Amino acid sequence: MRPLNIYTLSRISDERLFNIAHGHESGLTESARHGRHEIASLRALVDALVRCGLTASAMDGFYFGYSIPQIGKEFDLLRITDTFCLNIELKSQAVPEEQIRRQLLRNRHYLSHLGRRLGLYTVVTDTLRCYKLTVNEELEAVTAEALAAVLRREEGGGDTDISRLFRASDYLVSPYYRPERFIQGEYFLTQAQDQVKRHILQAAEALAEDDDGTASVLHLTGKPGTGKTLLLYDLGKTLARFGRTLIIHGWKMSPGLEKIDREIDNLSVMPAEAAAEPGCDLAVFNYILVDEAQRLEEALYDRLVAAAACRGRLCLFSTDPDQILSPAEAARGMTARVSALAAGREYLLSEKIRANRELSGFIDAMKNPARRRRPGETFASVSVCWAGTTQEAQDILTYYRDRGYVFINYSRRGYPAEVFAPYEEDFDTHQVIGQEFDDVVMLMDSTFYYDDNGLLQGIPHPDLLYPNLFYQGITRVREHLALIIVRAPALFETVMGILETPE
């Protein structure tokens, strides 16, 4: 997205022509649609600044309607120089001042990582009443002249590479991978996550006032990359302020989870195998949250449901129906069982936030190579390499790992025919459950093939579903993906066809 001049843009009053101009000037191939109220608000602000003596040149370098990729957080107006970031939010009519203050505080959190001085303002354009957020987090009424003075004083070219300033890794924090930032609250929830969080906390509050001993089972579900794990751990941290809280996850304890377990009061974290031990007393917990519940063994599931039946208890199961990694998990059907038990108390996260749109498009194309590309879609963040031997694959792996890529290998179960055993991984596909990484490299070989219906298949394995393991790995990536295809020419040709630019 490129910065533009808000004076020239605001002179266009026709909605359709305004949006054409905005898309062209900002460089967006799919410009957001701005309605009449937004257009009128921008014009009212600019007219007020002109009356304060500002010229068109002083209104250059603004991003209008910028939205942080993968997060969905939108700013009405941003101007970013080397030392200063100006944010102006536009309201077409009066709203409560506390609502304005909360929005500017949230904006400050999103913009603080830029390392620049911040100017945070809101303008109610029907009355031209202006507010600024002070360093003491208070809302202060200011004049339009004062706002114009800021623009005049901080005049300068806007930063022309805003994508460099806002990266997913600045906001999408993994409790597994970056526990310090999680513990300190240095992360953000999307609007969808916030909304689900409010509903679940309301259910927990209602449960605390309920004396009839009714079991309370809640179900959080969504596909890979929609933010279930971060939301679940954030809920655990919040609920721990009101009662003893347990988070059960489906794999081994990592150093990050051990740190969370030690340092957050009233919050315990343990793997499912520890929770299943007879000596683990689930009844001492007011709130139990289960990540990746589709992997649960039946005995532990039954114990958790029984614990939730006690008065004042709440059990939240988080499932991902697409992440079934073994035939045994498929046979147990835990997602369907949880869904039936929590009927009417289910919460869906549907918007992907981990992978950027380009990577999401590539993953969709891997599932369906016949899928047509979207207008303007490229896969510049994806690299696909050919290796004719195991040694060549090792050499290419070393190259990517030297560049900071995380190598995710396929989980192994000790069978003699394990084809990925020669490669030493950073993580396997079970170890990365709930985690995310900026850059990921993975292998594919003749273990994988596309069937006559164009679906990715894997050779049979008694304990693993290889296509699901593959998708489990590539859905961990946020920014760049590299695939190394080893001695599988038909597979390589199909994947390169996905990358081929249409004529």
Side-chain angles (χ1 to χ4, degrees), residues 180-196:
E180 297 85 0
R181 291 186 62 185
F182 173 77
I183 292 169
Q184 295 299 321
E186 297 175 358
Y187 60 91
F188 303 88
L189 298 181
T190 65
Q191 290 183 345
Q193 288 172 312
D194 262 335
Q195 184 177 22
V196 170

PDB file of all heavy atoms in Angstrom, residues 180-196:
ATOM      1  N   GLU A 180       7.787 -15.158  27.161  1.00  0.00           N
ATOM      2  CA  GLU A 180       8.010 -13.885  27.859  1.00  0.00           C
ATOM      3  C   GLU A 180       7.031 -12.828  27.379  1.00  0.00           C
ATOM      4  O   GLU A 180       6.428 -12.100  28.178  1.00  0.00           O
ATOM      5  CB  GLU A 180       9.449 -13.403  27.647  1.00  0.00           C
ATOM      6  CG  GLU A 180      10.516 -14.322  28.222  1.00  0.00           C
ATOM      7  CD  GLU A 180      10.896 -15.444  27.259  1.00  0.00           C
ATOM      8  OE1 GLU A 180      10.326 -15.500  26.150  1.00  0.00           O
ATOM      9  OE2 GLU A 180      11.757 -16.276  27.637  1.00  0.00           O
ATOM     10  N   ARG A 181       6.873 -12.729  26.050  1.00  0.00           N
ATOM     11  CA  ARG A 181       5.947 -11.737  25.503  1.00  0.00           C
ATOM     12  C   ARG A 181       4.506 -12.071  25.880  1.00  0.00           C
ATOM     13  O   ARG A 181       3.700 -11.180  26.129  1.00  0.00           O
ATOM     14  CB  ARG A 181       6.101 -11.646  23.984  1.00  0.00           C
ATOM     15  CG  ARG A 181       7.424 -11.031  23.545  1.00  0.00           C
ATOM     16  CD  ARG A 181       7.476 -10.816  22.055  1.00  0.00           C
ATOM     17  NE  ARG A 181       6.441  -9.890  21.613  1.00  0.00           N
ATOM     18  CZ  ARG A 181       6.212  -9.594  20.332  1.00  0.00           C
ATOM     19  NH1 ARG A 181       6.944 -10.155  19.382  1.00  0.00           N
ATOM     20  NH2 ARG A 181       5.255  -8.757  20.008  1.00  0.00           N
ATOM     21  N   PHE A 182       4.190 -13.370  25.920  1.00  0.00           N
ATOM     22  CA  PHE A 182       2.836 -13.751  26.319  1.00  0.00           C
ATOM     23  C   PHE A 182       2.581 -13.371  27.775  1.00  0.00           C
ATOM     24  O   PHE A 182       1.535 -12.795  28.103  1.00  0.00           O
ATOM     25  CB  PHE A 182       2.628 -15.257  26.119  1.00  0.00           C
ATOM     26  CG  PHE A 182       1.321 -15.741  26.659  1.00  0.00           C
ATOM     27  CD1 PHE A 182       0.142 -15.514  25.976  1.00  0.00           C
ATOM     28  CD2 PHE A 182       1.254 -16.400  27.885  1.00  0.00           C
ATOM     29  CE1 PHE A 182      -1.085 -15.933  26.477  1.00  0.00           C
ATOM     30  CE2 PHE A 182       0.045 -16.825  28.399  1.00  0.00           C
ATOM     31  CZ  PHE A 182      -1.127 -16.589  27.690  1.00  0.00           C
ATOM     32  N   ILE A 183       3.511 -13.693  28.653  1.00  0.00           N
ATOM     33  CA  ILE A 183       3.332 -13.412  30.079  1.00  0.00           C
ATOM     34  C   ILE A 183       3.196 -11.914  30.322  1.00  0.00           C
ATOM     35  O   ILE A 183       2.374 -11.470  31.135  1.00  0.00           O
ATOM     36  CB  ILE A 183       4.514 -14.002  30.887  1.00  0.00           C
ATOM     37  CG1 ILE A 183       4.457 -15.533  30.840  1.00  0.00           C
ATOM     38  CG2 ILE A 183       4.474 -13.520  32.338  1.00  0.00           C
ATOM     39  CD1 ILE A 183       5.712 -16.207  31.363  1.00  0.00           C
ATOM     40  N   GLN A 184       3.963 -11.104  29.582  1.00  0.00           N
ATOM     41  CA  GLN A 184       3.919  -9.654  29.753  1.00  0.00           C
ATOM     42  C   GLN A 184       2.738  -9.002  29.025  1.00  0.00           C
ATOM     43  O   GLN A 184       2.540  -7.792  29.132  1.00  0.00           O
ATOM     44  CB  GLN A 184       5.229  -9.028  29.242  1.00  0.00           C
ATOM     45  CG  GLN A 184       6.449  -9.433  30.051  1.00  0.00           C
ATOM     46  CD  GLN A 184       6.355  -9.021  31.505  1.00  0.00           C
ATOM     47  OE1 GLN A 184       5.861  -7.937  31.824  1.00  0.00           O
ATOM     48  NE2 GLN A 184       6.809  -9.892  32.396  1.00  0.00           N
ATOM     49  N   GLY A 185       1.955  -9.795  28.291  1.00  0.00           N
ATOM     50  CA  GLY A 185       0.806  -9.245  27.575  1.00  0.00           C
ATOM     51  C   GLY A 185       1.173  -8.498  26.315  1.00  0.00           C
ATOM     52  O   GLY A 185       0.398  -7.661  25.832  1.00  0.00           O
ATOM     53  N   GLU A 186       2.346  -8.794  25.742  1.00  0.00           N
ATOM     54  CA  GLU A 186       2.801  -8.097  24.540  1.00  0.00           C
ATOM     55  C   GLU A 186       2.291  -8.822  23.292  1.00  0.00           C
ATOM     56  O   GLU A 186       3.050  -9.301  22.456  1.00  0.00           O
ATOM     57  CB  GLU A 186       4.323  -8.008  24.544  1.00  0.00           C
ATOM     58  CG  GLU A 186       4.871  -7.187  25.707  1.00  0.00           C
ATOM     59  CD  GLU A 186       6.384  -7.208  25.770  1.00  0.00           C
ATOM     60  OE1 GLU A 186       7.004  -7.898  24.923  1.00  0.00           O
ATOM     61  OE2 GLU A 186       6.953  -6.557  26.657  1.00  0.00           O
ATOM     62  N   TYR A 187       0.979  -8.917  23.185  1.00  0.00           N
ATOM     63  CA  TYR A 187       0.360  -9.555  22.037  1.00  0.00           C
ATOM     64  C   TYR A 187      -1.023  -8.945  21.858  1.00  0.00           C
ATOM     65  O   TYR A 187      -1.512  -8.186  22.704  1.00  0.00           O
ATOM     66  CB  TYR A 187       0.263 -11.072  22.237  1.00  0.00           C
ATOM     67  CG  TYR A 187      -0.548 -11.490  23.441  1.00  0.00           C
ATOM     68  CD1 TYR A 187      -1.911 -11.741  23.329  1.00  0.00           C
ATOM     69  CD2 TYR A 187       0.039 -11.616  24.691  1.00  0.00           C
ATOM     70  CE1 TYR A 187      -2.671 -12.117  24.438  1.00  0.00           C
ATOM     71  CE2 TYR A 187      -0.709 -11.991  25.799  1.00  0.00           C
ATOM     72  CZ  TYR A 187      -2.057 -12.235  25.666  1.00  0.00           C
ATOM     73  OH  TYR A 187      -2.801 -12.598  26.760  1.00  0.00           O
ATOM     74  N   PHE A 188      -1.675  -9.286  20.772  1.00  0.00           N
ATOM     75  CA  PHE A 188      -2.950  -8.685  20.426  1.00  0.00           C
ATOM     76  C   PHE A 188      -3.918  -9.768  19.983  1.00  0.00           C
ATOM     77  O   PHE A 188      -3.534 -10.725  19.320  1.00  0.00           O
ATOM     78  CB  PHE A 188      -2.769  -7.665  19.297  1.00  0.00           C
ATOM     79  CG  PHE A 188      -1.785  -6.585  19.612  1.00  0.00           C
ATOM     80  CD1 PHE A 188      -0.439  -6.758  19.331  1.00  0.00           C
ATOM     81  CD2 PHE A 188      -2.196  -5.407  20.209  1.00  0.00           C
ATOM     82  CE1 PHE A 188       0.483  -5.773  19.635  1.00  0.00           C
ATOM     83  CE2 PHE A 188      -1.278  -4.426  20.517  1.00  0.00           C
ATOM     84  CZ  PHE A 188       0.065  -4.610  20.232  1.00  0.00           C
ATOM     85  N   LEU A 189      -5.164  -9.594  20.340  1.00  0.00           N
ATOM     86  CA  LEU A 189      -6.229 -10.445  19.831  1.00  0.00           C
ATOM     87  C   LEU A 189      -6.958  -9.707  18.720  1.00  0.00           C
ATOM     88  O   LEU A 189      -7.126  -8.484  18.784  1.00  0.00           O
ATOM     89  CB  LEU A 189      -7.215 -10.804  20.945  1.00  0.00           C
ATOM     90  CG  LEU A 189      -6.670 -11.591  22.138  1.00  0.00           C
ATOM     91  CD1 LEU A 189      -7.800 -11.880  23.128  1.00  0.00           C
ATOM     92  CD2 LEU A 189      -5.990 -12.876  21.708  1.00  0.00           C
ATOM     93  N   THR A 190      -7.390 -10.449  17.723  1.00  0.00           N
ATOM     94  CA  THR A 190      -8.194  -9.850  16.670  1.00  0.00           C
ATOM     95  C   THR A 190      -9.593  -9.548  17.211  1.00  0.00           C
ATOM     96  O   THR A 190      -9.974  -9.989  18.298  1.00  0.00           O
ATOM     97  CB  THR A 190      -8.315 -10.793  15.469  1.00  0.00           C
ATOM     98  OG1 THR A 190      -9.042 -11.964  15.883  1.00  0.00           O
ATOM     99  CG2 THR A 190      -6.947 -11.206  14.953  1.00  0.00           C
ATOM    100  N   GLN A 191     -10.367  -8.816  16.426  1.00  0.00           N
ATOM    101  CA  GLN A 191     -11.741  -8.528  16.842  1.00  0.00           C
ATOM    102  C   GLN A 191     -12.531  -9.814  17.020  1.00  0.00           C
ATOM    103  O   GLN A 191     -13.334  -9.934  17.959  1.00  0.00           O
ATOM    104  CB  GLN A 191     -12.404  -7.614  15.810  1.00  0.00           C
ATOM    105  CG  GLN A 191     -11.848  -6.199  15.804  1.00  0.00           C
ATOM    106  CD  GLN A 191     -12.569  -5.294  14.813  1.00  0.00           C
ATOM    107  OE1 GLN A 191     -13.287  -5.770  13.930  1.00  0.00           O
ATOM    108  NE2 GLN A 191     -12.372  -4.010  14.943  1.00  0.00           N
ATOM    109  N   ALA A 192     -12.312 -10.791  16.122  1.00  0.00           N
ATOM    110  CA  ALA A 192     -13.031 -12.069  16.243  1.00  0.00           C
ATOM    111  C   ALA A 192     -12.636 -12.789  17.525  1.00  0.00           C
ATOM    112  O   ALA A 192     -13.496 -13.334  18.237  1.00  0.00           O
ATOM    113  CB  ALA A 192     -12.741 -12.944  15.019  1.00  0.00           C
ATOM    114  N   GLN A 193     -11.343 -12.806  17.844  1.00  0.00           N
ATOM    115  CA  GLN A 193     -10.896 -13.435  19.083  1.00  0.00           C
ATOM    116  C   GLN A 193     -11.460 -12.716  20.303  1.00  0.00           C
ATOM    117  O   GLN A 193     -11.900 -13.350  21.264  1.00  0.00           O
ATOM    118  CB  GLN A 193      -9.368 -13.446  19.147  1.00  0.00           C
ATOM    119  CG  GLN A 193      -8.707 -14.425  18.193  1.00  0.00           C
ATOM    120  CD  GLN A 193      -7.209 -14.227  18.179  1.00  0.00           C
ATOM    121  OE1 GLN A 193      -6.708 -13.113  18.067  1.00  0.00           O
ATOM    122  NE2 GLN A 193      -6.473 -15.322  18.285  1.00  0.00           N
ATOM    123  N   ASP A 194     -11.445 -11.397  20.262  1.00  0.00           N
ATOM    124  CA  ASP A 194     -11.988 -10.608  21.375  1.00  0.00           C
ATOM    125  C   ASP A 194     -13.464 -10.918  21.608  1.00  0.00           C
ATOM    126  O   ASP A 194     -13.920 -11.035  22.748  1.00  0.00           O
ATOM    127  CB  ASP A 194     -11.818  -9.108  21.094  1.00  0.00           C
ATOM    128  CG  ASP A 194     -10.593  -8.538  21.787  1.00  0.00           C
ATOM    129  OD1 ASP A 194     -10.168  -9.100  22.811  1.00  0.00           O
ATOM    130  OD2 ASP A 194     -10.072  -7.530  21.302  1.00  0.00           O
ATOM    131  N   GLN A 195     -14.209 -11.025  20.516  1.00  0.00           N
ATOM    132  CA  GLN A 195     -15.640 -11.284  20.636  1.00  0.00           C
ATOM    133  C   GLN A 195     -15.897 -12.662  21.256  1.00  0.00           C
ATOM    134  O   GLN A 195     -16.733 -12.799  22.162  1.00  0.00           O
ATOM    135  CB  GLN A 195     -16.312 -11.195  19.264  1.00  0.00           C
ATOM    136  CG  GLN A 195     -17.821 -11.362  19.309  1.00  0.00           C
ATOM    137  CD  GLN A 195     -18.446 -11.198  17.938  1.00  0.00           C
ATOM    138  OE1 GLN A 195     -17.799 -11.357  16.917  1.00  0.00           O
ATOM    139  NE2 GLN A 195     -19.730 -10.873  17.907  1.00  0.00           N
ATOM    140  N   VAL A 196     -15.164 -13.679  20.788  1.00  0.00           N
ATOM    141  CA  VAL A 196     -15.325 -15.020  21.355  1.00  0.00           C
ATOM    142  C   VAL A 196     -14.902 -15.018  22.818  1.00  0.00           C
ATOM    143  O   VAL A 196     -15.550 -15.644  23.672  1.00  0.00           O
ATOM    144  CB  VAL A 196     -14.521 -16.049  20.537  1.00  0.00           C
ATOM    145  CG1 VAL A 196     -14.479 -17.394  21.253  1.00  0.00           C
ATOM    146  CG2 VAL A 196     -15.128 -16.212  19.153  1.00  0.00           C
TER     147      VAL A 196
END
